[in-house]
């Protein structure tokens, strides 16, 4: 089982990618659908929203009037934070219920518009971002969805920037062309990356690491931060430090494009106790003649070595 987070700005075209993956067997967990479920009439979530934003957010039938809520919740950072503090925990709990029900061999697709804003990226094997320029998204929202232009601008502005999305994106899907072209990109990702990763994780098999030396690539630092965050998420309190080390961490150097991460644990007993978690998280155990314990990424497109060292060794 692997978990893939799918995100992108409002109007970016995530539904095309989601449909392409679902047609190929992805187990879909839709954050928007869950967000509607947890605030349906009669739910504690809707009661809390009314307490926070007033009964004016309800329609004549007692259901949530989303435009009315948006008019109150997207006016400033404090209001958005209040909205998120109510809905995010409810969405998270329901998301976990659905994830726990997935088949053991699933590619779980979490369709999460606010994945970046919610700091959820480290908890996925991979994050896929659908990108479309903001001006194109604005036209789509106004022309195709009938949204008010000012409301659409406010929602776009309230979401993560392109730079923030690039920071977490393992897969970047460019939707500047046609829906058919975007679907073709998604099919290639499914066949050439998601299926091999799922199978390697299931078998506990590391991917082969590249050996050809290259000039320094600034993206190595970005990937290093992403992998460090992922390893921290897997190890939690079992590690006292997780760092990007080795040749790819040295600005201006030459190296094989492998991200080396070193995690410090109390002793090798702890290292052995987290081996299954690292393997399930995409970093199977590998043989090593060096100190500590070695894990290597199951994703051939993200070459990573994770070495666990005991304190003082």
């Amino acid at each position: 089982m692997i978990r893939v987070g799918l995100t992108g700005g409002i109007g970016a075209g995530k539904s095309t990618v989601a449909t392409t993956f679902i047609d190929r067997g992805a187990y879909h967990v839709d954050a928007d659908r869950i967000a509607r479920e947890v605030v349906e009439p009669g739910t504690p979530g809707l009661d809390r929203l009314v307490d926070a934003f007033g009964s004016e957010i309800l329609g004549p039938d007692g259901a949530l009037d989303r435009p009315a809520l948006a008019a109150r919740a997207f006016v400033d950072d404090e209001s958005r934070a209040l909205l998120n503090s109510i809905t995010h925990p409810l969405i998270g709990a329901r998301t976990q219920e659905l994830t726990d029900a997935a088949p053991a061999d699933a590619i779980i697709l979490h369709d999460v518009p606010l994945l970046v804003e919610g700091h959820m990226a480290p908890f996925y094997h991979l994050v896929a971002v659908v990108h479309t320029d903001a001006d194109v998204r604005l036209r789509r929202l106004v022309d195709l969805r009938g949204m008010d232009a000012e409301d659409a601008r406010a929602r776009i502005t309230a979401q993560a920037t392109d730079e923030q999305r690039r920071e977490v994106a393992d897969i970047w899907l460019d939707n500047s062309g046609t829906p058919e072209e975007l679907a073709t990109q998604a099919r290639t990702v499914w066949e050439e990356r998601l299926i091999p990763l799922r199978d390697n994780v299931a078998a506990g098999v590391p991917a082969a690491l590249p050996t050809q030396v290259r000039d320094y690539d600034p993206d190595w630092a970005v990937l290093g931060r992403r992998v460090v965050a992922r390893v921290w998420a897997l190890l939690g309190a079992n590690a006292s430090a997780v760092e990007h080390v080795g040749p790819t961490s040295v600005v201006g150097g030459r190296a094989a494009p492998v991200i080396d991460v070193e995690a410090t644990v109390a002793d090798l007993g702890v290292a052995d106790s987290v081996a299954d978690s690292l393997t399930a998280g995409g970093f199977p155990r590998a043989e090593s003649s060096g100190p500590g314990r070695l894990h290597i990424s199951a994703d051939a497109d993200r070459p990573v070595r994770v070495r666990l060292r005991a304190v003082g060794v």
Side-chain angles (χ1 to χ4, degrees):
M1 176 188 297
I2 63 170
R3 297 177 304 282
V4 178
L6 175 65
T7 193
I10 183 172
K14 296 183 297 296
S15 60
T16 296
V17 176
T19 298
T20 302
F21 289 166
I22 293 164
D23 287 347
R24 280 150 184 78
Y27 179 91
H28 190 211
V29 179
D30 186 343
D32 278 341
R33 183 180 302 166
I34 294 170
R36 291 191 294 271
E37 288 179 5
V38 300
V39 293
E40 288 178 346
T43 62
L46 183 58
D47 292 341
R48 292 181 61 191
L49 288 180
V50 171
D51 289 341
F53 295 103
S55 59
E56 294 82 3
I57 66 171
L58 297 178
D61 60 353
L64 180 64
D65 182 336
R66 291 186 175 275
L69 174 62
R72 290 162 173 76
F74 289 96
V75 294
D76 54 42
D77 291 342
E78 183 178 354
S79 297
R80 282 193 294 272
L82 177 58
L83 173 65
N84 292 339
S85 72
I86 295 171
T87 58
H88 284 184
L90 298 171
I91 293 168
R94 180 57 177 154
T95 297
Q96 190 60 54
E97 289 178 7
L98 293 172
T99 300
D100 291 343
D105 62 348
I107 295 177
I108 301 173
L109 178 67
H110 282 182
D111 188 347
V112 189
L114 299 181
L115 183 151
V116 178
E117 295 84 344
H119 307 289
M120 293 178 275
F123 301 99
Y124 295 99
H125 290 79
L126 293 173
V127 171
V129 173
V130 184
H131 170 72
T132 308
D133 289 340
D135 58 341
V136 176
R137 290 190 279 128
L138 178 62
R139 288 198 303 271
R140 288 176 180 171
L141 294 173
V142 173
D143 296 342
L144 300 181
R145 297 193 193 179
M147 288 181 62
D148 174 76
E150 289 304 314
D151 182 25
R153 286 192 188 92
R155 293 191 182 214
I156 290 172
T157 301
Q159 292 187 341
T161 64
D162 291 342
E163 291 74 20
Q164 290 170 322
R165 292 191 184 100
R166 282 192 181 276
E167 184 78 12
V168 304
D170 299 293
I171 299 162
W172 189 261
L173 295 162
D174 181 6
N175 190 18
S176 59
T178 66
E180 291 75 19
E181 289 170 336
L182 180 60
T184 296
Q185 292 180 64
R187 286 192 294 270
T188 299
V189 167
W190 180 268
E191 297 295 336
E192 297 184 4
R193 190 158 189 189
L194 301 188
I195 292 293
L197 174 58
R198 189 272 312 272
D199 292 347
N200 282 349
V201 169
V205 175
L209 296 175
T211 58
Q212 185 175 358
V213 173
R214 301 180 186 174
D215 291 332
Y216 178 78
D217 185 339
D219 285 345
W220 292 344
V222 177
L223 181 53
R225 291 192 294 271
R226 197 181 307 150
V227 173
V228 164
R230 173 73 177 144
V231 173
W232 267 121
L234 291 169
L235 296 180
N238 290 297
S240 58
V242 181
E243 300 175 284
H244 179 197
V245 299
T248 57
S249 69
V250 179
V251 176
R254 285 173 54 82
V258 178
I259 302 300
D260 285 295
V261 170
E262 185 173 283
T264 304
V265 296
D267 53 53
L268 294 185
V270 173
D272 291 335
S273 73
V274 298
D276 288 347
S277 294
L278 283 169
T279 296
F283 302 98
R285 181 83 168 262
E287 294 297 324
S288 172
S289 57
R293 301 290 186 264
L294 180 66
H295 292 254
I296 293 176
S297 176
D299 180 10
D301 287 89
R302 188 175 64 181
V304 177
R305 282 185 293 251
V306 179
R307 187 171 294 277
L308 278 65
R309 290 177 178 265
V311 173
V313 177

